[in-house]
Amino acid sequence: MEQLKHECGVAMIRLLKPSDYYKEKYGTQQFGLNKLYLMMEKQHNRGQEGAGIACVDMHAPAGTEYMFRERAEGSDAITKVFRQTGSSFSGQLYMGHLRYSTTGKSGLTFVHPFLRRNNWRAKNLCLCGNFNMTNIDEVFSFLIRQGQSPRIYGDSYITLELMGHRLDREVERLYEKAKTMGLSQQAITQYIDNHVCISNVLKTTMPHFDGGYVMCGLTGSGEMFAVRDPWGMRPAYYYQDEELVAVASERPVIQTTFDLDADDIKELSPGKALVIHKNGECKTEAIFSNKQGEKTEKPAACSFERIYFSRGSDRDIYQERKLLGEQLSRPILKTIGEDVAHTVFSYIPNTAEVAFFGMTDGVRRLGYDVRIEKVIWKDIKLRTFITEGNERNDLAAHVYDITYGSLKAHEDNLVIIDDSIVRGTTLRESIFKMLDRLHPKKIVMVSSSPQIRYPDYYGIDMPSLEELCAFRAAMALIEEKNMMHLVRETCRLCKEKPLEDNHVRSIYAPFSVEEINRKIVEMLRPDGMQAPVELVFQSIEGLHKACPGHPGDWYFSGNYPTRGGIRLANQAFISYVENVLKI
């Protein structure tokens, strides 16, 4: 309903055979580029602000280009990028990126991949990723202490500069080694190109960062890698056979592009890198030493990937979303007094559809016949940015439409499910007003995810703390009950002990989920609405039962897996108190 901007998407292909092999077998020397295009289109859901691709030709002679890059902005960026590629855009290593900004920065300058040029092939580095770093100020200071002077203050550029610096050191190590072996001139260069150990670069770069990431890269000498954060927050999958290696943010992307079974594809483990050497050797390596070992003991794979972000065509995600809906069947029946005969079940299009199937299956398993109607239609995506205030709200109210006559006025309850309730703006300005025109006896608004109580800092463009309707409800309850002392004490702890714990959780502690639900309804209920409304949220326990392999739930529970996330959550509350409440 209130769409969260997706995390970014990555795609990589390493061809392992000579180019003539693909021309003879598949009828084109553009096999790699064509497959990259398919992989990016299949992940279009993950980025609609920009796209970029890169390619390395290891066999290009000196004096000709061997590292190519194209980037474009806009929702049609994929099409633009591939139109810009000429016949020369071919090689053995391909990398693509789809961008959704989580920083508010826009422009071609911020579209991946990022490129660091050098006259030595092995020192050229091209980088892209699905990531957000929470300690970029610390890494920036580290670079300054080393004597560097980054041109741009941003996690993408600073990551590129730090990794590029470590790549330089790796090349210099090999240069000195080659000299001791008696090599000279081009023989030294060939030795370096054939012996770059990219895992050395990653092991001395990635432990500096706190955040969620899948970082992908190419070097001019033919190294390729994808590294996943030690908590496994951001997803990565890969496939390897005798013809190629492929990497993507989602499993079905690789399945569909290369006509594979789900079990053919492997998930990159947290804290590991998939490294493809210049000679085509492919292996996974642990990047974090034992000193960082404790990070991998508490996996925090993002549960929102399963609820919302990733394509529902994945075999396991489909079943997980169905279970998320099914688990809500009993709480829903309680809200309608088990009067299923006078209840219509529906969903908010389109991402909640699979949870809807699970919800209705669950009601049937409890022995009831279910009445299903498509009550809401997503009409058009209006360009509401062209107006302000009341005019904007009026336009937003028409993004959805309803099916008139889909339930019996004043007799039927309406149960309608969505994947999440974030700000609540669309409910207040559009959905509730429109549903009330059908005159339901009662509206039960269901969320297949728990209450979103905290911002994300690891790559999701989550609203700020004060925009979250659950937080606003908790603060309204605090004010009603004359508990502002709790706010001041929480703010004090956030300032004095910013890394010790997420102190913002104390704001919710005095209230039950049901109390916050009632306050949310009160706040979001538009003036003049007749039908009573009740909210049903997924429980955190239910979330973990449905998605056991993805325990990351910090936006629901406040349990941030890293110190950087804890610090930013506490800082968000301080900013709220000082800038919004002004106390």
mmCIF file of all heavy atoms in Angstrom, residues 318-319 322-323 325-327 329 345 354-368 370 372:
data_model
loop_
_atom_site.group_PDB
_atom_site.id
_atom_site.type_symbol
_atom_site.label_atom_id
_atom_site.label_comp_id
_atom_site.label_asym_id
_atom_site.label_seq_id
_atom_site.Cartn_x
_atom_site.Cartn_y
_atom_site.Cartn_z
ATOM 1 N N TYR A 318 7.416 -17.879 -1.495
ATOM 2 C CA TYR A 318 5.984 -18.060 -1.734
ATOM 3 C C TYR A 318 5.319 -18.776 -0.561
ATOM 4 O O TYR A 318 4.265 -18.349 -0.053
ATOM 5 C CB TYR A 318 5.771 -18.846 -3.025
ATOM 6 C CG TYR A 318 4.323 -19.027 -3.403
ATOM 7 C CD1 TYR A 318 3.620 -17.999 -4.025
ATOM 8 C CD2 TYR A 318 3.647 -20.216 -3.124
ATOM 9 C CE1 TYR A 318 2.278 -18.159 -4.371
ATOM 10 C CE2 TYR A 318 2.318 -20.382 -3.454
ATOM 11 C CZ TYR A 318 1.640 -19.341 -4.086
ATOM 12 O OH TYR A 318 0.308 -19.501 -4.406
ATOM 13 N N GLN A 319 5.938 -19.854 -0.095
ATOM 14 C CA GLN A 319 5.369 -20.613 1.021
ATOM 15 C C GLN A 319 5.427 -19.809 2.318
ATOM 16 O O GLN A 319 4.506 -19.879 3.140
ATOM 17 C CB GLN A 319 6.115 -21.942 1.183
ATOM 18 C CG GLN A 319 5.962 -22.884 0.001
ATOM 19 C CD GLN A 319 4.513 -23.239 -0.288
ATOM 20 O OE1 GLN A 319 3.679 -23.336 0.628
ATOM 21 N NE2 GLN A 319 4.184 -23.424 -1.556
ATOM 22 N N LYS A 322 2.628 -17.258 2.321
ATOM 23 C CA LYS A 322 1.354 -17.918 2.594
ATOM 24 C C LYS A 322 1.207 -18.210 4.086
ATOM 25 O O LYS A 322 0.131 -18.005 4.666
ATOM 26 C CB LYS A 322 1.250 -19.220 1.791
ATOM 27 C CG LYS A 322 0.963 -19.019 0.316
ATOM 28 C CD LYS A 322 0.595 -20.315 -0.373
ATOM 29 C CE LYS A 322 -0.784 -20.798 0.054
ATOM 30 N NZ LYS A 322 -1.189 -22.015 -0.687
ATOM 31 N N LEU A 323 2.282 -18.682 4.705
ATOM 32 C CA LEU A 323 2.219 -19.003 6.136
ATOM 33 C C LEU A 323 2.015 -17.742 6.970
ATOM 34 O O LEU A 323 1.300 -17.766 7.981
ATOM 35 C CB LEU A 323 3.494 -19.735 6.566
ATOM 36 C CG LEU A 323 3.524 -20.239 8.016
ATOM 37 C CD1 LEU A 323 2.323 -21.121 8.322
ATOM 38 C CD2 LEU A 323 4.832 -21.003 8.276
ATOM 39 N N GLY A 325 0.214 -15.255 6.183
ATOM 40 C CA GLY A 325 -1.224 -15.000 6.149
ATOM 41 C C GLY A 325 -2.018 -16.026 6.927
ATOM 42 O O GLY A 325 -2.940 -15.682 7.676
ATOM 43 N N GLU A 326 -1.637 -17.289 6.807
ATOM 44 C CA GLU A 326 -2.376 -18.361 7.473
ATOM 45 C C GLU A 326 -2.347 -18.199 8.991
ATOM 46 O O GLU A 326 -3.348 -18.449 9.682
ATOM 47 C CB GLU A 326 -1.781 -19.713 7.078
ATOM 48 C CG GLU A 326 -2.494 -20.903 7.693
ATOM 49 C CD GLU A 326 -1.877 -22.224 7.300
ATOM 50 O OE1 GLU A 326 -1.106 -22.255 6.309
ATOM 51 O OE2 GLU A 326 -2.149 -23.230 7.987
ATOM 52 N N GLN A 327 -1.217 -17.773 9.523
ATOM 53 C CA GLN A 327 -1.072 -17.642 10.972
ATOM 54 C C GLN A 327 -1.999 -16.580 11.573
ATOM 55 O O GLN A 327 -2.222 -16.565 12.788
ATOM 56 C CB GLN A 327 0.386 -17.297 11.316
ATOM 57 C CG GLN A 327 1.334 -18.446 11.065
ATOM 58 C CD GLN A 327 2.789 -18.080 11.295
ATOM 59 O OE1 GLN A 327 3.628 -18.956 11.509
ATOM 60 N NE2 GLN A 327 3.112 -16.807 11.234
ATOM 61 N N SER A 329 -5.176 -16.279 10.836
ATOM 62 C CA SER A 329 -6.576 -16.712 10.709
ATOM 63 C C SER A 329 -7.330 -16.660 12.033
ATOM 64 O O SER A 329 -8.443 -16.123 12.110
ATOM 65 C CB SER A 329 -6.635 -18.137 10.138
ATOM 66 O OG SER A 329 -6.008 -18.190 8.880
ATOM 67 N N PHE A 345 -13.546 -11.442 2.420
ATOM 68 C CA PHE A 345 -12.089 -11.402 2.548
ATOM 69 C C PHE A 345 -11.485 -10.850 1.262
ATOM 70 O O PHE A 345 -11.857 -11.261 0.158
ATOM 71 C CB PHE A 345 -11.532 -12.798 2.827
ATOM 72 C CG PHE A 345 -11.886 -13.341 4.178
ATOM 73 C CD1 PHE A 345 -13.121 -13.944 4.410
ATOM 74 C CD2 PHE A 345 -10.989 -13.249 5.234
ATOM 75 C CE1 PHE A 345 -13.456 -14.446 5.650
ATOM 76 C CE2 PHE A 345 -11.313 -13.749 6.489
ATOM 77 C CZ PHE A 345 -12.556 -14.350 6.700
ATOM 78 N N VAL A 354 -0.218 -13.077 -2.032
ATOM 79 C CA VAL A 354 0.151 -14.411 -1.576
ATOM 80 C C VAL A 354 -0.237 -14.608 -0.113
ATOM 81 O O VAL A 354 -0.747 -15.663 0.272
ATOM 82 C CB VAL A 354 1.658 -14.656 -1.786
ATOM 83 C CG1 VAL A 354 2.054 -16.030 -1.261
ATOM 84 C CG2 VAL A 354 2.013 -14.536 -3.269
ATOM 85 N N ALA A 355 -0.031 -13.595 0.728
ATOM 86 C CA ALA A 355 -0.466 -13.684 2.130
ATOM 87 C C ALA A 355 -1.979 -13.853 2.207
ATOM 88 O O ALA A 355 -2.491 -14.535 3.102
ATOM 89 C CB ALA A 355 -0.024 -12.441 2.893
ATOM 90 N N PHE A 356 -2.689 -13.237 1.287
ATOM 91 C CA PHE A 356 -4.147 -13.387 1.221
ATOM 92 C C PHE A 356 -4.526 -14.842 0.969
ATOM 93 O O PHE A 356 -5.447 -15.382 1.608
ATOM 94 C CB PHE A 356 -4.699 -12.489 0.116
ATOM 95 C CG PHE A 356 -6.111 -12.767 -0.276
ATOM 96 C CD1 PHE A 356 -7.160 -12.348 0.530
ATOM 97 C CD2 PHE A 356 -6.403 -13.448 -1.448
ATOM 98 C CE1 PHE A 356 -8.481 -12.604 0.184
ATOM 99 C CE2 PHE A 356 -7.716 -13.713 -1.801
ATOM 100 C CZ PHE A 356 -8.752 -13.290 -0.993
ATOM 101 N N PHE A 357 -3.824 -15.506 0.039
ATOM 102 C CA PHE A 357 -4.100 -16.921 -0.211
ATOM 103 C C PHE A 357 -3.904 -17.731 1.069
ATOM 104 O O PHE A 357 -4.711 -18.615 1.404
ATOM 105 C CB PHE A 357 -3.171 -17.466 -1.299
ATOM 106 C CG PHE A 357 -3.426 -16.902 -2.662
ATOM 107 C CD1 PHE A 357 -2.381 -16.751 -3.563
ATOM 108 C CD2 PHE A 357 -4.689 -16.522 -3.059
ATOM 109 C CE1 PHE A 357 -2.593 -16.226 -4.826
ATOM 110 C CE2 PHE A 357 -4.923 -15.989 -4.314
ATOM 111 C CZ PHE A 357 -3.873 -15.850 -5.208
ATOM 112 N N GLY A 358 -2.828 -17.446 1.801
ATOM 113 C CA GLY A 358 -2.575 -18.163 3.043
ATOM 114 C C GLY A 358 -3.622 -17.883 4.090
ATOM 115 O O GLY A 358 -4.071 -18.795 4.808
ATOM 116 N N MET A 359 -4.053 -16.619 4.192
ATOM 117 C CA MET A 359 -5.076 -16.243 5.165
ATOM 118 C C MET A 359 -6.386 -16.986 4.913
ATOM 119 O O MET A 359 -6.981 -17.565 5.830
ATOM 120 C CB MET A 359 -5.315 -14.738 5.103
ATOM 121 C CG MET A 359 -6.446 -14.227 5.971
ATOM 122 S SD MET A 359 -6.714 -12.440 5.779
ATOM 123 C CE MET A 359 -7.393 -12.370 4.103
ATOM 124 N N THR A 360 -6.835 -17.007 3.673
ATOM 125 C CA THR A 360 -8.109 -17.668 3.361
ATOM 126 C C THR A 360 -7.990 -19.185 3.477
ATOM 127 O O THR A 360 -8.930 -19.849 3.914
ATOM 128 C CB THR A 360 -8.584 -17.268 1.957
ATOM 129 O OG1 THR A 360 -7.521 -17.476 1.010
ATOM 130 C CG2 THR A 360 -8.985 -15.799 1.927
ATOM 131 N N ASP A 361 -6.814 -19.737 3.118
ATOM 132 C CA ASP A 361 -6.606 -21.171 3.320
ATOM 133 C C ASP A 361 -6.692 -21.518 4.800
ATOM 134 O O ASP A 361 -7.269 -22.550 5.188
ATOM 135 C CB ASP A 361 -5.239 -21.600 2.782
ATOM 136 C CG ASP A 361 -5.199 -21.708 1.269
ATOM 137 O OD1 ASP A 361 -6.276 -21.616 0.644
ATOM 138 O OD2 ASP A 361 -4.095 -21.867 0.713
ATOM 139 N N GLY A 362 -6.134 -20.646 5.641
ATOM 140 C CA GLY A 362 -6.172 -20.895 7.074
ATOM 141 C C GLY A 362 -7.583 -20.887 7.630
ATOM 142 O O GLY A 362 -7.929 -21.720 8.486
ATOM 143 N N VAL A 363 -8.405 -19.964 7.164
ATOM 144 C CA VAL A 363 -9.796 -19.914 7.614
ATOM 145 C C VAL A 363 -10.537 -21.169 7.175
ATOM 146 O O VAL A 363 -11.338 -21.743 7.927
ATOM 147 C CB VAL A 363 -10.483 -18.639 7.091
ATOM 148 C CG1 VAL A 363 -11.970 -18.650 7.448
ATOM 149 C CG2 VAL A 363 -9.817 -17.396 7.663
ATOM 150 N N ARG A 364 -10.271 -21.617 5.956
ATOM 151 C CA ARG A 364 -10.913 -22.850 5.471
ATOM 152 C C ARG A 364 -10.499 -24.051 6.312
ATOM 153 O O ARG A 364 -11.331 -24.914 6.624
ATOM 154 C CB ARG A 364 -10.544 -23.095 4.011
ATOM 155 C CG ARG A 364 -11.170 -22.111 3.032
ATOM 156 C CD ARG A 364 -10.955 -22.574 1.596
ATOM 157 N NE ARG A 364 -11.395 -21.565 0.646
ATOM 158 C CZ ARG A 364 -10.599 -20.691 0.049
ATOM 159 N NH1 ARG A 364 -9.288 -20.705 0.327
ATOM 160 N NH2 ARG A 364 -11.065 -19.809 -0.799
ATOM 161 N N ARG A 365 -9.229 -24.117 6.679
ATOM 162 C CA ARG A 365 -8.751 -25.252 7.474
ATOM 163 C C ARG A 365 -9.398 -25.282 8.850
ATOM 164 O O ARG A 365 -9.443 -26.324 9.499
ATOM 165 C CB ARG A 365 -7.229 -25.190 7.612
ATOM 166 C CG ARG A 365 -6.483 -25.515 6.327
ATOM 167 C CD ARG A 365 -5.001 -25.733 6.579
ATOM 168 N NE ARG A 365 -4.294 -26.020 5.345
ATOM 169 C CZ ARG A 365 -3.621 -25.130 4.627
ATOM 170 N NH1 ARG A 365 -3.553 -23.872 5.046
ATOM 171 N NH2 ARG A 365 -3.017 -25.475 3.510
ATOM 172 N N LEU A 366 -9.882 -24.147 9.295
ATOM 173 C CA LEU A 366 -10.575 -24.093 10.580
ATOM 174 C C LEU A 366 -12.059 -24.429 10.433
ATOM 175 O O LEU A 366 -12.823 -24.337 11.400
ATOM 176 C CB LEU A 366 -10.409 -22.702 11.196
ATOM 177 C CG LEU A 366 -8.968 -22.345 11.618
ATOM 178 C CD1 LEU A 366 -8.877 -20.894 12.040
ATOM 179 C CD2 LEU A 366 -8.486 -23.264 12.729
ATOM 180 N N GLY A 367 -12.456 -24.810 9.214
ATOM 181 C CA GLY A 367 -13.808 -25.337 9.004
ATOM 182 C C GLY A 367 -14.827 -24.356 8.464
ATOM 183 O O GLY A 367 -16.034 -24.627 8.547
ATOM 184 N N TYR A 368 -14.386 -23.254 7.904
ATOM 185 C CA TYR A 368 -15.321 -22.241 7.419
ATOM 186 C C TYR A 368 -15.255 -22.108 5.895
ATOM 187 O O TYR A 368 -14.203 -22.285 5.286
ATOM 188 C CB TYR A 368 -15.002 -20.867 8.027
ATOM 189 C CG TYR A 368 -15.107 -20.818 9.522
ATOM 190 C CD1 TYR A 368 -13.976 -21.039 10.322
ATOM 191 C CD2 TYR A 368 -16.314 -20.534 10.153
ATOM 192 C CE1 TYR A 368 -14.058 -20.976 11.709
ATOM 193 C CE2 TYR A 368 -16.406 -20.465 11.534
ATOM 194 C CZ TYR A 368 -15.275 -20.695 12.303
ATOM 195 O OH TYR A 368 -15.358 -20.635 13.674
ATOM 196 N N VAL A 370 -15.292 -19.533 2.821
ATOM 197 C CA VAL A 370 -14.760 -18.180 2.731
ATOM 198 C C VAL A 370 -15.346 -17.460 1.517
ATOM 199 O O VAL A 370 -15.386 -18.007 0.421
ATOM 200 C CB VAL A 370 -13.218 -18.205 2.619
ATOM 201 C CG1 VAL A 370 -12.670 -16.793 2.529
ATOM 202 C CG2 VAL A 370 -12.620 -18.935 3.815
ATOM 203 N N ILE A 372 -14.760 -14.541 -1.017
ATOM 204 C CA ILE A 372 -13.632 -13.766 -1.542
ATOM 205 C C ILE A 372 -14.131 -12.804 -2.609
ATOM 206 O O ILE A 372 -14.889 -13.187 -3.495
ATOM 207 C CB ILE A 372 -12.569 -14.703 -2.149
ATOM 208 C CG1 ILE A 372 -11.943 -15.584 -1.067
ATOM 209 C CG2 ILE A 372 -11.504 -13.906 -2.878
ATOM 210 C CD1 ILE A 372 -11.026 -16.636 -1.622
#
